[in-house]
Amino acid sequence: AILAALPHTGETAPPLAGSEGPLAGKHVLVTAGPTHEPIDPVRVLANRSSGKQGFAIAAAAARAGARVTLVAGPVSLPTPFGVTRVDVMTAVQMRDAVIAALPADIAFMVAAVADWRVAASASKLKKGDGPPELQFEANPDILRELGERPDRPGLLIGFAAETDDVIANATAKLERKKADWIVANDVSGDVMGSDHNRVHIVTRDGVTDMGAMTKAQVAQMLIDRIS
Amino acid sequence: AILAALPHTGETAPPLAGSEGPLAGKHVLVTAGPTHEPIDPVRVLANRSSGKQGFAIAAAAARAGARVTLVAGPVSLPTPFGVTRVDVMTAVQMRDAVIAALPADIAFMVAAVADWRVAASASKLKKGDGPPELQFEANPDILRELGERPDRPGLLIGFAAETDDVIANATAKLERKKADWIVANDVSGDVMGSDHNRVHIVTRDGVTDMGAMTKAQVAQMLIDRIS
């Protein structure tokens, strides 16, 4: 229903996935997993994202007939059937891969992108030299960058993993990033890495608590809502 | 041959793996994978260790008839057949699991243990607050601690992943940690996460370049040398 109101992006490449289904002819862009920001050739700044939610969304979109590009951080998950996967390590690489994949009709920015990167050492830091002195630089804000581009996806969906003030933080993020929806979840429990999730969908119309379900069910519910 | 000269640890529990083979009746303790040191509920200090080399060694030891305890950091690998696996997240948890698994006849300390942990925040740090101010504390040095204990494993084997001066760093580590062997590898290339490795075995008798092989072959070669 939502898609009927969206302009077509003019995408001409033939869909890789099925040419039938509610998302046939649409290009869906999904990011998933963590980013790893190198400290030296061995050590990284990382996060606990498993990539499961993003991979489930990519799979559900492909099943709905979309052409799907999945930009994945370092995770150990099989590529869903019918999905074109681009593997990246860092936030900068993820941004570049996302921009290269445009135009897209719908973008699910699910990855837990590191806010900061560090000026990495070319050699392994030695313990005897004491704690590492990390010089932080701000990483690109991929969601915000997409939200401000002239070729912005018609439907731009961000994710917010929070431990406190989940709804307030997600609502602020919706405005700040110029996104259409923020899918918010509370990761103060055992969500990260698990097969279950409980999300709230935050739009300019309000907040919907979707209740507890599996990550596969969250994915299908989101695809159903945009189909 | 080496084991014939080692005193038995007095281990009385029945072996979980086969009771035949060159390591029958021996308890082999293996650590593998990275550690994750929390920065907040989402972010971690981590490293690129995949756990593949340590898991391969645990598998080879079990095939040789040993009772095997595998203390594993956060990795996505199946547990080798006949191996008792203990999953941990941090260096402190890994140390506690290693000590709890003693006594052991042979210990392979393969894990890439973080040298430093940080005073973690209970809430997710917000990007708008600026770069995280990380307060580092030294982690336990598990290899050295094992080397200095009265119930030190009869054969204590450390691993050294280096990018520069590989042999010199491994030789210094052998002395500093009171280990019997250091298995050194150069991780300046694509070793981390791959199925291949090239190791040098550093002992008080000298250095042996084992040449390029798969991680499974490195594991079998090490088990053959201690059987």
Side-chain angles (χ1 to χ4, degrees), chain B residues 26-104:
Chain B
K26 301 296 177 185
H27 180 207
V28 174
L29 173 58
V30 183
T31 64
T35 65
H36 282 185
E37 308 296 328
I39 296 172
D40 67 16
V42 175
R43 299 173 177 93
V44 294
L45 273 177
N47 63 67
R48 297 190 201 280
S49 172
S50 64
K52 287 180 179 175
Q53 186 62 78
F55 275 59
I57 290 169
R63 284 196 308 271
R67 181 166 76 85
V68 181
T69 304
L70 171 61
V71 179
V75 296
S76 296
L77 292 173
T79 305
F81 182 76
V83 166
T84 301
R85 175 173 175 172
V86 182
D87 282 321
V88 299
M89 182 72 76
T90 68
V92 167
Q93 291 167 354
M94 184 169 279
R95 190 263 313 267
D96 291 348
V98 163
I99 301 300
L102 295 177

Side-chain angles (χ1 to χ4, degrees), chain B residues 114-139:
Chain B
D115 292 328
W116 307 96
R117 65 177 177 274
V118 294
S121 166
S123 295
K124 186 183 174 192
L125 301 172
K126 302 302 292 177
K127 183 182 196 161
D129 296 335
E133 295 186 12
L134 304 181
Q135 304 295 322
F136 290 99
E137 290 179 80
N139 263 331

